[in-house]
Amino acid sequence: MKPLLPVLLTALALVGCATQEYRNAEAYCRPPAYQQYPVVYQQRWETRTRPVEVFTGRSRCVNRDIGNGRTESICEPLREIRYIDTPVLVTVDLNEMARDTVIAACAQDTCMRQFGNVDCKSGR
């Protein structure tokens, strides 16, 4: 699932920069894509990595002078971050990627026919 993250971030960035005409083309393409690839939810277990602070078994101590030739040691345990895998139950739409691909291809095709480019940018 991790390789999809860059693809999703790129898609979100492109949608954020999309023209109103491109968003209109997507809206036109969305209903047939949902008919072709309806929402199909499925629950499944996925592994997620999370940081956990753990004690190392070592300590860091500082000695300080408290007067009359006496010192006091103040020690604190050392900790570090470790990453552990945790199973998480998630709900996913099995058809989301295929549907999004169809919508994007349809929108680009619509833009190409109407504006001569895949971004729906007019010569204004």
Side-chain angles (χ1 to χ4, degrees), residues 69-116:
R70 299 182 320 175
T71 59
E72 171 183 60
S73 293
I74 300 172
C75 297
E76 65 178 36
L78 292 177
R79 295 173 280 198
E80 67 184 14
I81 301 294
R82 293 219 180 120
Y83 295 90
I84 62 167
D85 291 336
T86 306
V88 177
L89 185 62
V90 297
T91 302
V92 295
D93 177 0
L94 298 178
N95 287 335
E96 181 177 26
M97 191 182 314
R99 186 175 50 249
D100 289 349
T101 301
V102 167
I103 292 169
C106 173
Q108 289 175 358
D109 183 57
T110 301
C111 290
M112 196 67 176
R113 282 187 278 111
Q114 291 181 354
F115 296 93

Side-chain angles (χ1 to χ4, degrees), residues 21-39:
E21 291 82 3
Y22 186 86
R23 288 191 292 273
N24 292 344
E26 281 184 322
Y28 168 78
C29 296
R30 196 166 277 117
Y34 270 86
Q35 283 184 338
Q36 186 178 359
Y37 293 100
V39 175

Side-chain angles (χ1 to χ4, degrees), residues 6 15 20 22 35 55-56 59-60 62 65 70 73 90 96 98 111 115 117 122:
V15 169
Q20 182 60 47
Y22 186 86
Q35 283 184 338
F55 293 104
T56 63
S59 298
R60 177 176 47 211
V62 176
D65 184 14
R70 299 182 320 175
S73 293
V90 297
E96 181 177 26
C111 290
F115 296 93
N117 63 73
S122 62

Side-chain angles (χ1 to χ4, degrees), residues 35-49:
Q35 283 184 338
Q36 186 178 359
Y37 293 100
V39 175
V40 177
Y41 287 120
Q42 180 185 63
Q43 286 191 320
R44 65 179 176 208
W45 290 97
E46 291 185 358
T47 301
R48 302 285 166 91
T49 303

